[in-house]
Amino acid sequence: MSGIIVAENLCKVYRRGREEISALKNVNFQVDEGEFVSIIGPSGSGKTALLNVLGCLDTPTSGTLRLNGTETSGMKESELVRLRRQNIGFVFQQFYLMPTLTARENIELPLLFSRKTDNKKRIDEVLQMVGLSDRGDHLPGQLSGGEMQRVAIGRALINDPKIILADEPTGNLDSVTSGKIYELFRKLNDQGRTLVVVTHNLELARQAHKMYTLRDGRIAGCEEMDY
């Protein structure tokens, strides 16, 4: 198998006291560079568990994951942090913005953690990319829900990742704003970025190249879209 994300026989078991919960069961999943993939399925089907494992936020109980050519099995947490920082931008349903920081400062945060300086040009580029050039000095409380999610997407983009992983990114937005966020995703994909988006919205999911259905921790189907 080849691809920027290659998962083979992924299993994830969570333990709650004496109870074992199998969130992922022998999942085989591949995303090629430049693809836009959506993942749908009912609550509890394993969508978020899969995204967390693909993004190295969680480790599989068994199976293997190769990310941009790097086998992740046995890597130390510090190595996984470096791998995430170099390759992945995350977007979540909750915006997780710092309320006392401006849009510009929220977008800049990952650069500060990476100890990168002289960031003004890059931040300006990202603000323009997400359509917020005129809102950079506003606090989150002065922005709409859609604008806050654009800030969160800008924060995910600031380190120029190859891969964007998004977990229900429009879950808190109305249908019109959700559509605009997906327009932005498609634009980012057209620029060459690989996207994997978990969503409950079937209409939006069909805007991807491929739509995977998860059920009871297994991939129940894959449909290629006319995109």
Side-chain angles (χ1 to χ4, degrees):
M1 299 176 78
S2 63
I4 195 166
I5 300 173
V6 181
E8 295 181 321
N9 300 316
L10 280 187
C11 294
K12 182 62 185 178
V13 178
Y14 295 101
R15 289 177 174 82
R16 186 183 299 155
R18 295 182 179 179
E19 182 183 13
E20 288 191 349
I21 301 170
S22 294
L24 300 174
K25 303 169 185 175
N26 294 311
V27 170
N28 291 286
F29 183 83
Q30 176 174 321
V31 182
D32 293 330
E33 188 168 0
E35 274 194 314
F36 183 177
V37 169
S38 61
I39 302 173
I40 64 169
S43 296
S45 60
K47 302 187 299 298
T48 295
L50 177 58
L51 207 67
N52 286 344
V53 171
L54 297 180
C56 300
L57 293 174
D58 205 351
T59 54
T61 304
S62 61
T64 61
L65 172 67
R66 192 163 67 251
L67 192 65
N68 197 22
T70 299
E71 170 60 56
T72 63
S73 300
M75 292 183 77
K76 299 176 183 178
E77 178 58 29
S78 59
E79 294 172 323
L80 291 172
V81 168
R82 191 177 307 114
L83 186 67
R84 288 196 301 267
R85 187 178 293 154
Q86 292 173 348
N87 291 279
I88 301 174
F90 294 94
V91 182
F92 302 98
Q93 179 174 350
Q94 304 296 329
F95 311 130
Y96 297 120
L97 302 181
M98 298 293 290
T100 58
L101 300 182
T102 65
R104 169 182 290 276
E105 290 166 339
N106 269 285
I107 288 173
E108 185 182 18
L109 276 177
L111 292 176
L112 299 178
F113 289 126
S114 301
R115 298 180 181 178
K116 296 179 180 177
T117 58
D118 194 20
N119 304 322
K120 184 180 185 304
K121 182 179 178 182
R122 176 60 184 162
I123 299 168
D124 287 341
E125 290 174 353
V126 170
L127 280 167
Q128 183 175 8
M129 201 179 298
V130 298
L132 291 175
S133 293
D134 60 341
R135 308 290 276 171
D137 294 327
H138 287 65
L139 296 171
Q142 299 170 314
L143 302 174
S144 68
E147 288 172 334
M148 285 192 283
Q149 189 60 292
R150 286 174 181 268
V151 174
I153 294 169
R155 183 181 56 199
L157 290 170
I158 194 67
N159 275 323
D160 198 21
K162 293 178 178 292
I163 304 164
I164 299 291
L165 301 181
D167 191 2
E168 298 284 6
T170 62
N172 289 329
L173 304 176
D174 61 65
S175 59
V176 173
T177 306
S178 297
K180 291 179 179 178
I181 293 298
Y182 264 74
E183 287 177 13
L184 175 56
F185 282 159
R186 290 183 64 159
K187 183 189 297 183
L188 295 173
N189 179 243
D190 289 342
Q191 294 169 357
R193 287 182 176 80
T194 304
L195 279 87
V196 181
V197 181
V198 164
T199 181
H200 66 278
N201 188 315
L202 187 59
E203 180 182 352
L204 295 177
R206 290 186 177 279
Q207 295 188 32
H209 295 132
K210 292 179 182 176
M211 181 177 70
Y212 286 87
T213 301
L214 236 63
R215 189 170 291 113
D216 298 325
R218 302 180 189 274
I219 291 179
C222 175
E223 186 177 351
E224 294 202 19
M225 301 293 126
D226 184 17
Y227 161 47

